[in-house]
Amino acid sequence: MKIYRLLTEDDTAAFCHKVSEALSKGWELYGSPTYAFDQANGVMRCGQAVTKDVDTPYTPDMKLGQQ
């Protein structure tokens, strides 16, 4: 089964580290990254979708980041 996550973070090195950590744990990039201005907080935000094949059946209470 394939699971999906959308990683988001302010446009800082923290976003790159978040994506790099996911890749190191077997997640794969899915699509292009996004970049948008968060007007409420006055910062640029980044997003990247990732997917991963897992053997565990999906449940809504599954902690995706721990897979």
Short mmCIF file of all heavy atoms in Angstrom, two decimals:
data_model
loop_
_atom_site.label_atom_id
_atom_site.label_comp_id
_atom_site.label_asym_id
_atom_site.label_seq_id
_atom_site.Cartn_x
_atom_site.Cartn_y
_atom_site.Cartn_z
N MET A 1 0.83 -1.17 0.00
CA MET A 1 0.00 0.00 0.00
C MET A 1 0.88 1.24 0.00
O MET A 1 1.94 1.26 0.61
CB MET A 1 -0.91 -0.01 1.22
CG MET A 1 -1.87 1.14 1.19
SD MET A 1 -2.80 1.34 2.69
CE MET A 1 -1.59 2.20 3.67
N LYS A 2 0.43 2.29 -0.66
CA LYS A 2 1.18 3.55 -0.71
C LYS A 2 0.50 4.58 0.19
O LYS A 2 -0.72 4.74 0.13
CB LYS A 2 1.23 4.06 -2.15
CG LYS A 2 2.16 5.23 -2.34
CD LYS A 2 2.26 5.63 -3.80
CE LYS A 2 2.91 4.58 -4.64
NZ LYS A 2 4.35 4.59 -4.68
N ILE A 3 1.29 5.25 1.03
CA ILE A 3 0.76 6.33 1.87
C ILE A 3 1.36 7.65 1.40
O ILE A 3 2.39 7.69 0.72
CB ILE A 3 1.03 6.08 3.37
CG1 ILE A 3 2.52 5.86 3.65
CG2 ILE A 3 0.20 4.91 3.87
CD1 ILE A 3 2.85 5.71 5.13
N TYR A 4 0.69 8.75 1.77
CA TYR A 4 1.00 10.08 1.26
C TYR A 4 1.11 11.05 2.42
O TYR A 4 0.33 10.98 3.37
CB TYR A 4 -0.15 10.49 0.33
CG TYR A 4 -0.17 11.93 -0.11
CD1 TYR A 4 0.42 12.30 -1.31
CD2 TYR A 4 -0.79 12.91 0.65
CE1 TYR A 4 0.38 13.62 -1.74
CE2 TYR A 4 -0.83 14.22 0.23
CZ TYR A 4 -0.24 14.57 -0.96
OH TYR A 4 -0.28 15.87 -1.38
N ARG A 5 2.06 11.97 2.32
CA ARG A 5 2.20 13.06 3.29
C ARG A 5 2.51 14.35 2.53
O ARG A 5 3.17 14.32 1.50
CB ARG A 5 3.38 12.84 4.24
CG ARG A 5 3.25 11.73 5.20
CD ARG A 5 4.53 11.50 5.98
NE ARG A 5 4.89 12.62 6.82
CZ ARG A 5 6.10 12.82 7.33
NH1 ARG A 5 7.07 11.97 7.08
NH2 ARG A 5 6.35 13.85 8.09
N LEU A 6 2.07 15.47 3.07
CA LEU A 6 2.45 16.77 2.55
C LEU A 6 3.29 17.46 3.62
O LEU A 6 2.79 17.79 4.70
CB LEU A 6 1.24 17.62 2.19
CG LEU A 6 1.56 19.01 1.65
CD1 LEU A 6 2.36 18.93 0.35
CD2 LEU A 6 0.31 19.83 1.46
N LEU A 7 4.57 17.63 3.33
CA LEU A 7 5.48 18.28 4.26
C LEU A 7 5.42 19.78 4.01
O LEU A 7 5.52 20.22 2.86
CB LEU A 7 6.90 17.77 4.05
CG LEU A 7 7.09 16.26 4.11
CD1 LEU A 7 8.52 15.88 3.75
CD2 LEU A 7 6.71 15.73 5.47
N THR A 8 5.29 20.58 5.05
CA THR A 8 5.26 22.03 4.92
C THR A 8 6.13 22.66 6.00
O THR A 8 6.34 22.07 7.07
CB THR A 8 3.84 22.59 5.04
OG1 THR A 8 3.32 22.29 6.33
CG2 THR A 8 2.92 22.03 3.96
N GLU A 9 6.63 23.83 5.70
CA GLU A 9 7.48 24.53 6.67
C GLU A 9 7.75 25.93 6.12
O GLU A 9 7.65 26.17 4.92
CB GLU A 9 8.80 23.77 6.83
CG GLU A 9 9.75 24.32 7.88
CD GLU A 9 9.21 24.18 9.29
OE1 GLU A 9 8.85 23.07 9.71
OE2 GLU A 9 9.14 25.22 9.97
N ASP A 10 8.11 26.85 7.01
CA ASP A 10 8.59 28.16 6.55
C ASP A 10 9.79 27.96 5.64
O ASP A 10 10.48 26.93 5.73
CB ASP A 10 9.00 29.04 7.74
CG ASP A 10 7.81 29.49 8.57
OD1 ASP A 10 6.66 29.28 8.16
OD2 ASP A 10 8.05 30.06 9.65
N ASP A 11 10.06 28.94 4.78
CA ASP A 11 11.18 28.85 3.84
C ASP A 11 12.50 29.09 4.58
O ASP A 11 13.08 30.16 4.54
CB ASP A 11 11.00 29.87 2.72
CG ASP A 11 12.09 29.78 1.67
OD1 ASP A 11 12.75 28.73 1.58
OD2 ASP A 11 12.29 30.78 0.95
N THR A 12 12.93 28.05 5.29
CA THR A 12 14.20 28.07 6.01
C THR A 12 14.88 26.72 5.78
O THR A 12 14.31 25.83 5.16
CB THR A 12 13.99 28.27 7.53
OG1 THR A 12 13.31 27.11 8.04
CG2 THR A 12 13.19 29.53 7.84
N ALA A 13 16.05 26.57 6.33
CA ALA A 13 16.74 25.29 6.23
C ALA A 13 15.94 24.17 6.88
O ALA A 13 16.10 23.00 6.52
CB ALA A 13 18.12 25.39 6.88
N ALA A 14 15.05 24.50 7.80
CA ALA A 14 14.23 23.49 8.46
C ALA A 14 13.40 22.70 7.45
O ALA A 14 13.20 21.49 7.61
CB ALA A 14 13.32 24.12 9.51
N PHE A 15 12.91 23.37 6.40
CA PHE A 15 12.14 22.66 5.38
C PHE A 15 13.02 21.65 4.65
O PHE A 15 12.63 20.51 4.45
CB PHE A 15 11.53 23.66 4.37
CG PHE A 15 10.84 22.97 3.23
CD1 PHE A 15 9.63 22.33 3.42
CD2 PHE A 15 11.42 22.94 1.98
CE1 PHE A 15 8.99 21.69 2.37
CE2 PHE A 15 10.79 22.29 0.92
CZ PHE A 15 9.57 21.66 1.12
N CYS A 16 14.21 22.06 4.26
CA CYS A 16 15.13 21.15 3.57
C CYS A 16 15.48 19.96 4.45
O CYS A 16 15.53 18.82 3.98
CB CYS A 16 16.39 21.89 3.15
SG CYS A 16 16.08 23.20 1.94
N HIS A 17 15.68 20.20 5.74
CA HIS A 17 15.98 19.11 6.66
C HIS A 17 14.79 18.17 6.81
O HIS A 17 14.96 16.95 6.89
CB HIS A 17 16.41 19.65 8.03
CG HIS A 17 17.76 20.27 8.01
ND1 HIS A 17 18.93 19.54 7.88
CD2 HIS A 17 18.15 21.57 8.10
CE1 HIS A 17 19.97 20.35 7.89
NE2 HIS A 17 19.52 21.59 8.01
N LYS A 18 13.57 18.71 6.84
CA LYS A 18 12.38 17.89 6.97
C LYS A 18 12.24 16.96 5.76
O LYS A 18 11.97 15.76 5.92
CB LYS A 18 11.14 18.79 7.08
CG LYS A 18 9.86 18.04 7.37
CD LYS A 18 8.67 18.98 7.45
CE LYS A 18 8.58 19.63 8.80
NZ LYS A 18 7.30 20.34 9.01
N VAL A 19 12.45 17.50 4.56
CA VAL A 19 12.37 16.68 3.35
C VAL A 19 13.51 15.66 3.32
O VAL A 19 13.29 14.48 3.01
CB VAL A 19 12.37 17.56 2.08
CG1 VAL A 19 12.44 16.71 0.81
CG2 VAL A 19 11.13 18.46 2.05
N SER A 20 14.71 16.09 3.65
CA SER A 20 15.87 15.18 3.65
C SER A 20 15.66 14.03 4.64
O SER A 20 16.00 12.87 4.34
CB SER A 20 17.16 15.94 3.99
OG SER A 20 17.44 16.87 2.99
N GLU A 21 15.11 14.33 5.80
CA GLU A 21 14.85 13.27 6.78
C GLU A 21 13.84 12.27 6.23
O GLU A 21 14.01 11.06 6.36
CB GLU A 21 14.34 13.86 8.09
CG GLU A 21 14.05 12.80 9.12
CD GLU A 21 13.51 13.35 10.42
OE1 GLU A 21 12.91 14.45 10.42
OE2 GLU A 21 13.68 12.68 11.44
N ALA A 22 12.77 12.77 5.61
CA ALA A 22 11.77 11.87 5.03
C ALA A 22 12.40 10.98 3.96
O ALA A 22 12.15 9.77 3.92
CB ALA A 22 10.61 12.68 4.45
N LEU A 23 13.23 11.56 3.10
CA LEU A 23 13.90 10.76 2.05
C LEU A 23 14.79 9.70 2.67
O LEU A 23 14.85 8.57 2.18
CB LEU A 23 14.70 11.67 1.12
CG LEU A 23 13.88 12.65 0.28
CD1 LEU A 23 14.80 13.59 -0.49
CD2 LEU A 23 12.94 11.92 -0.66
N SER A 24 15.48 10.04 3.75
CA SER A 24 16.38 9.08 4.40
C SER A 24 15.61 7.92 5.05
O SER A 24 16.18 6.87 5.31
CB SER A 24 17.26 9.77 5.44
OG SER A 24 16.53 10.08 6.62
N LYS A 25 14.31 8.13 5.28
CA LYS A 25 13.47 7.09 5.89
C LYS A 25 12.65 6.34 4.85
O LYS A 25 11.71 5.63 5.19
CB LYS A 25 12.54 7.72 6.93
CG LYS A 25 13.29 8.24 8.14
CD LYS A 25 12.35 8.83 9.16
CE LYS A 25 13.13 9.27 10.39
NZ LYS A 25 12.23 9.85 11.41
N GLY A 26 13.01 6.51 3.58
CA GLY A 26 12.37 5.73 2.53
C GLY A 26 11.20 6.38 1.81
O GLY A 26 10.61 5.79 0.93
N TRP A 27 10.86 7.62 2.17
CA TRP A 27 9.81 8.34 1.46
C TRP A 27 10.36 8.79 0.12
O TRP A 27 11.56 9.02 -0.02
CB TRP A 27 9.34 9.54 2.28
CG TRP A 27 8.59 9.17 3.52
CD1 TRP A 27 9.14 8.82 4.74
CD2 TRP A 27 7.18 9.06 3.68
NE1 TRP A 27 8.14 8.53 5.62
CE2 TRP A 27 6.92 8.67 5.00
CE3 TRP A 27 6.11 9.29 2.82
CZ2 TRP A 27 5.64 8.49 5.48
CZ3 TRP A 27 4.83 9.11 3.31
CH2 TRP A 27 4.60 8.71 4.63
N GLU A 28 9.48 8.93 -0.88
CA GLU A 28 9.88 9.36 -2.21
C GLU A 28 9.14 10.65 -2.57
O GLU A 28 7.96 10.81 -2.21
CB GLU A 28 9.54 8.29 -3.25
CG GLU A 28 10.30 7.00 -3.02
CD GLU A 28 9.93 5.92 -4.03
OE1 GLU A 28 9.12 6.19 -4.94
OE2 GLU A 28 10.46 4.81 -3.89
N LEU A 29 9.83 11.55 -3.27
CA LEU A 29 9.20 12.79 -3.71
C LEU A 29 8.02 12.48 -4.63
O LEU A 29 8.09 11.56 -5.44
CB LEU A 29 10.20 13.66 -4.46
CG LEU A 29 11.41 14.13 -3.66
CD1 LEU A 29 12.35 14.93 -4.57
CD2 LEU A 29 11.01 14.95 -2.45
N TYR A 30 6.96 13.26 -4.50
CA TYR A 30 5.78 13.10 -5.34
C TYR A 30 5.41 14.48 -5.87
O TYR A 30 5.01 15.37 -5.12
CB TYR A 30 4.63 12.51 -4.52
CG TYR A 30 3.38 12.28 -5.32
CD1 TYR A 30 3.23 11.14 -6.10
CD2 TYR A 30 2.35 13.20 -5.30
CE1 TYR A 30 2.09 10.92 -6.84
CE2 TYR A 30 1.20 13.00 -6.04
CZ TYR A 30 1.07 11.86 -6.80
OH TYR A 30 -0.06 11.65 -7.54
N GLY A 31 5.59 14.69 -7.16
CA GLY A 31 5.27 15.98 -7.76
C GLY A 31 6.31 17.03 -7.46
O GLY A 31 7.39 16.76 -6.92
N SER A 32 5.97 18.25 -7.84
CA SER A 32 6.88 19.39 -7.67
C SER A 32 6.65 20.06 -6.32
O SER A 32 5.54 20.01 -5.78
CB SER A 32 6.64 20.41 -8.78
OG SER A 32 6.88 19.83 -10.04
N PRO A 33 7.69 20.71 -5.79
CA PRO A 33 7.50 21.46 -4.55
C PRO A 33 6.63 22.69 -4.80
O PRO A 33 6.48 23.14 -5.93
CB PRO A 33 8.92 21.86 -4.15
CG PRO A 33 9.70 21.82 -5.42
CD PRO A 33 9.06 20.78 -6.29
N THR A 34 6.03 23.20 -3.73
CA THR A 34 5.22 24.42 -3.81
C THR A 34 5.88 25.50 -2.96
O THR A 34 6.65 25.22 -2.04
CB THR A 34 3.79 24.19 -3.31
OG1 THR A 34 3.84 23.80 -1.93
CG2 THR A 34 3.10 23.10 -4.11
N TYR A 35 5.54 26.74 -3.28
CA TYR A 35 6.14 27.89 -2.61
C TYR A 35 5.09 28.99 -2.62
O TYR A 35 4.62 29.37 -3.69
CB TYR A 35 7.39 28.29 -3.38
CG TYR A 35 8.33 29.25 -2.72
CD1 TYR A 35 8.94 28.95 -1.52
CD2 TYR A 35 8.63 30.46 -3.32
CE1 TYR A 35 9.83 29.82 -0.93
CE2 TYR A 35 9.52 31.35 -2.75
CZ TYR A 35 10.12 31.02 -1.54
OH TYR A 35 10.99 31.89 -0.96
N ALA A 36 4.68 29.47 -1.46
CA ALA A 36 3.63 30.47 -1.41
C ALA A 36 3.85 31.42 -0.23
O ALA A 36 4.47 31.06 0.76
CB ALA A 36 2.27 29.80 -1.28
N PHE A 37 3.29 32.61 -0.37
CA PHE A 37 3.38 33.60 0.69
C PHE A 37 2.25 33.38 1.69
O PHE A 37 1.08 33.31 1.32
CB PHE A 37 3.29 35.02 0.12
CG PHE A 37 3.43 36.09 1.15
CD1 PHE A 37 4.63 36.28 1.83
CD2 PHE A 37 2.37 36.92 1.46
CE1 PHE A 37 4.76 37.27 2.79
CE2 PHE A 37 2.48 37.92 2.41
CZ PHE A 37 3.68 38.09 3.08
N ASP A 38 2.60 33.24 2.96
CA ASP A 38 1.64 33.11 4.05
C ASP A 38 1.38 34.51 4.59
O ASP A 38 2.14 35.02 5.41
CB ASP A 38 2.22 32.18 5.12
CG ASP A 38 1.32 32.01 6.33
OD1 ASP A 38 0.30 32.73 6.45
OD2 ASP A 38 1.65 31.16 7.17
N GLN A 39 0.31 35.13 4.10
CA GLN A 39 0.04 36.53 4.45
C GLN A 39 -0.25 36.71 5.94
O GLN A 39 0.14 37.71 6.53
CB GLN A 39 -1.13 37.06 3.63
CG GLN A 39 -1.35 38.54 3.79
CD GLN A 39 -2.35 39.07 2.79
OE1 GLN A 39 -2.86 38.35 1.96
NE2 GLN A 39 -2.62 40.35 2.87
N ALA A 40 -0.90 35.73 6.56
CA ALA A 40 -1.23 35.82 7.97
C ALA A 40 0.01 35.93 8.85
O ALA A 40 0.00 36.61 9.87
CB ALA A 40 -2.08 34.62 8.39
N ASN A 41 1.09 35.25 8.44
CA ASN A 41 2.32 35.26 9.24
C ASN A 41 3.45 36.04 8.60
O ASN A 41 4.52 36.17 9.19
CB ASN A 41 2.76 33.81 9.50
CG ASN A 41 1.76 33.07 10.36
OD1 ASN A 41 1.40 33.52 11.44
ND2 ASN A 41 1.29 31.94 9.87
N GLY A 42 3.24 36.53 7.37
CA GLY A 42 4.24 37.35 6.71
C GLY A 42 5.50 36.61 6.30
O GLY A 42 6.58 37.20 6.28
N VAL A 43 5.37 35.32 5.97
CA VAL A 43 6.53 34.51 5.59
C VAL A 43 6.23 33.70 4.34
O VAL A 43 5.07 33.45 4.02
CB VAL A 43 6.96 33.54 6.72
CG1 VAL A 43 7.42 34.29 7.96
CG2 VAL A 43 5.85 32.57 7.06
N MET A 44 7.27 33.28 3.65
CA MET A 44 7.12 32.34 2.55
C MET A 44 7.09 30.93 3.14
O MET A 44 7.79 30.64 4.11
CB MET A 44 8.28 32.47 1.55
CG MET A 44 8.32 33.80 0.82
SD MET A 44 6.84 34.16 -0.14
CE MET A 44 6.93 32.95 -1.45
N ARG A 45 6.23 30.08 2.56
CA ARG A 45 6.10 28.69 3.03
C ARG A 45 6.38 27.75 1.87
O ARG A 45 6.01 28.03 0.73
CB ARG A 45 4.70 28.42 3.56
CG ARG A 45 4.32 29.34 4.69
CD ARG A 45 4.10 28.79 6.04
NE ARG A 45 3.68 27.44 6.19
CZ ARG A 45 4.12 26.67 7.18
NH1 ARG A 45 5.00 27.12 8.04
NH2 ARG A 45 3.69 25.44 7.30
N CYS A 46 7.01 26.63 2.17
CA CYS A 46 7.33 25.60 1.19
C CYS A 46 6.49 24.36 1.48
O CYS A 46 6.13 24.10 2.63
CB CYS A 46 8.80 25.22 1.27
SG CYS A 46 9.93 26.57 1.01
N GLY A 47 6.25 23.59 0.43
CA GLY A 47 5.54 22.32 0.59
C GLY A 47 6.09 21.29 -0.39
O GLY A 47 6.50 21.65 -1.49
N GLN A 48 6.10 20.04 0.03
CA GLN A 48 6.53 18.95 -0.84
C GLN A 48 5.76 17.69 -0.46
O GLN A 48 5.76 17.28 0.70
CB GLN A 48 8.03 18.68 -0.71
CG GLN A 48 8.53 17.48 -1.49
CD GLN A 48 8.38 17.65 -3.00
OE1 GLN A 48 8.91 18.60 -3.57
NE2 GLN A 48 7.65 16.76 -3.64
N ALA A 49 5.10 17.10 -1.44
CA ALA A 49 4.40 15.84 -1.22
C ALA A 49 5.40 14.70 -1.31
O ALA A 49 6.34 14.74 -2.12
CB ALA A 49 3.29 15.66 -2.24
N VAL A 50 5.20 13.70 -0.47
CA VAL A 50 6.03 12.50 -0.48
C VAL A 50 5.12 11.28 -0.33
O VAL A 50 4.04 11.36 0.25
CB VAL A 50 7.11 12.50 0.64
CG1 VAL A 50 8.16 13.57 0.38
CG2 VAL A 50 6.49 12.70 2.02
N THR A 51 5.57 10.15 -0.86
CA THR A 51 4.83 8.89 -0.73
C THR A 51 5.78 7.79 -0.28
O THR A 51 7.00 7.91 -0.41
CB THR A 51 4.17 8.47 -2.06
OG1 THR A 51 5.19 8.26 -3.05
CG2 THR A 51 3.16 9.49 -2.54
N LYS A 52 5.18 6.73 0.25
CA LYS A 52 5.98 5.58 0.70
C LYS A 52 5.14 4.32 0.62
O LYS A 52 3.95 4.33 0.98
CB LYS A 52 6.43 5.81 2.15
CG LYS A 52 7.37 4.75 2.69
CD LYS A 52 7.82 5.11 4.10
CE LYS A 52 8.84 4.14 4.63
NZ LYS A 52 9.28 4.50 5.98
N ASP A 53 5.74 3.24 0.14
CA ASP A 53 5.09 1.94 0.14
C ASP A 53 5.30 1.29 1.50
O ASP A 53 6.42 1.25 2.01
CB ASP A 53 5.67 1.04 -0.95
CG ASP A 53 5.29 1.51 -2.34
OD1 ASP A 53 4.11 1.88 -2.54
OD2 ASP A 53 6.16 1.52 -3.23
N VAL A 54 4.20 0.84 2.11
CA VAL A 54 4.27 0.19 3.43
C VAL A 54 3.48 -1.12 3.39
O VAL A 54 2.59 -1.29 2.56
CB VAL A 54 3.72 1.10 4.55
CG1 VAL A 54 4.59 2.34 4.71
CG2 VAL A 54 2.28 1.49 4.30
N ASP A 55 3.81 -2.02 4.31
CA ASP A 55 3.12 -3.30 4.40
C ASP A 55 1.90 -3.23 5.31
O ASP A 55 1.06 -4.12 5.30
CB ASP A 55 4.07 -4.38 4.92
CG ASP A 55 5.21 -4.65 3.93
OD1 ASP A 55 4.98 -4.53 2.72
OD2 ASP A 55 6.32 -4.95 4.39
N THR A 56 1.81 -2.19 6.12
CA THR A 56 0.73 -2.04 7.08
C THR A 56 -0.53 -1.52 6.40
O THR A 56 -0.45 -0.58 5.63
CB THR A 56 1.15 -1.04 8.18
OG1 THR A 56 2.41 -1.43 8.70
CG2 THR A 56 0.14 -0.97 9.29
N PRO A 57 -1.69 -2.09 6.68
CA PRO A 57 -2.93 -1.54 6.12
C PRO A 57 -3.19 -0.13 6.64
O PRO A 57 -2.90 0.17 7.80
CB PRO A 57 -4.02 -2.51 6.61
CG PRO A 57 -3.31 -3.73 7.06
CD PRO A 57 -1.93 -3.30 7.46
N TYR A 58 -3.74 0.71 5.80
CA TYR A 58 -4.02 2.09 6.18
C TYR A 58 -5.17 2.16 7.17
O TYR A 58 -6.18 1.48 7.02
CB TYR A 58 -4.37 2.94 4.96
CG TYR A 58 -4.83 4.33 5.36
CD1 TYR A 58 -3.90 5.29 5.74
CD2 TYR A 58 -6.18 4.65 5.41
CE1 TYR A 58 -4.31 6.54 6.14
CE2 TYR A 58 -6.59 5.90 5.81
CZ TYR A 58 -5.66 6.84 6.19
OH TYR A 58 -6.07 8.07 6.59
N THR A 59 -5.01 3.01 8.17
CA THR A 59 -6.10 3.38 9.08
C THR A 59 -6.00 4.87 9.31
O THR A 59 -4.91 5.44 9.31
CB THR A 59 -6.02 2.65 10.44
OG1 THR A 59 -4.81 3.05 11.10
CG2 THR A 59 -6.04 1.14 10.27
N PRO A 60 -7.13 5.57 9.52
CA PRO A 60 -7.09 7.02 9.71
C PRO A 60 -6.28 7.47 10.93
O PRO A 60 -5.81 8.61 10.96
CB PRO A 60 -8.56 7.40 9.88
CG PRO A 60 -9.31 6.32 9.20
CD PRO A 60 -8.49 5.07 9.41
N ASP A 61 -6.08 6.62 11.91
CA ASP A 61 -5.29 7.00 13.09
C ASP A 61 -3.82 6.68 12.94
O ASP A 61 -3.03 6.89 13.86
CB ASP A 61 -5.87 6.35 14.36
CG ASP A 61 -5.86 4.83 14.30
OD1 ASP A 61 -5.91 4.27 13.19
OD2 ASP A 61 -5.81 4.21 15.39
N MET A 62 -3.41 6.22 11.77
CA MET A 62 -2.00 5.89 11.50
C MET A 62 -1.14 7.17 11.60
O MET A 62 -1.51 8.21 11.10
CB MET A 62 -1.89 5.32 10.08
CG MET A 62 -0.50 5.01 9.61
SD MET A 62 -0.52 4.42 7.89
CE MET A 62 -0.93 2.71 8.15
N LYS A 63 -0.03 7.09 12.29
CA LYS A 63 0.92 8.19 12.40
C LYS A 63 1.84 8.11 11.18
O LYS A 63 2.81 7.35 11.17
CB LYS A 63 1.73 8.12 13.70
CG LYS A 63 0.88 8.14 14.95
CD LYS A 63 0.21 9.48 15.12
CE LYS A 63 -0.55 9.51 16.44
NZ LYS A 63 -1.50 10.61 16.47
N LEU A 64 1.53 8.88 10.15
CA LEU A 64 2.25 8.75 8.87
C LEU A 64 3.74 9.02 9.00
O LEU A 64 4.54 8.36 8.38
CB LEU A 64 1.63 9.69 7.84
CG LEU A 64 0.16 9.39 7.50
CD1 LEU A 64 -0.37 10.45 6.55
CD2 LEU A 64 0.03 8.01 6.90
N GLY A 65 4.12 9.98 9.81
CA GLY A 65 5.53 10.30 9.98
C GLY A 65 6.34 9.20 10.65
O GLY A 65 7.56 9.21 10.60
N GLN A 66 5.67 8.26 11.29
CA GLN A 66 6.36 7.18 11.98
C GLN A 66 6.45 5.92 11.13
O GLN A 66 6.95 4.89 11.59
CB GLN A 66 5.66 6.88 13.30
CG GLN A 66 5.73 8.04 14.27
CD GLN A 66 4.93 7.78 15.55
OE1 GLN A 66 4.35 6.73 15.74
NE2 GLN A 66 4.91 8.77 16.41
N GLN A 67 5.99 5.99 9.90
CA GLN A 67 6.01 4.81 9.02
C GLN A 67 7.34 4.70 8.33
O GLN A 67 8.03 5.63 8.09
CB GLN A 67 4.89 4.89 7.99
CG GLN A 67 3.52 4.95 8.61
CD GLN A 67 3.22 3.78 9.53
OE1 GLN A 67 3.42 2.62 9.17
NE2 GLN A 67 2.76 4.08 10.72
#
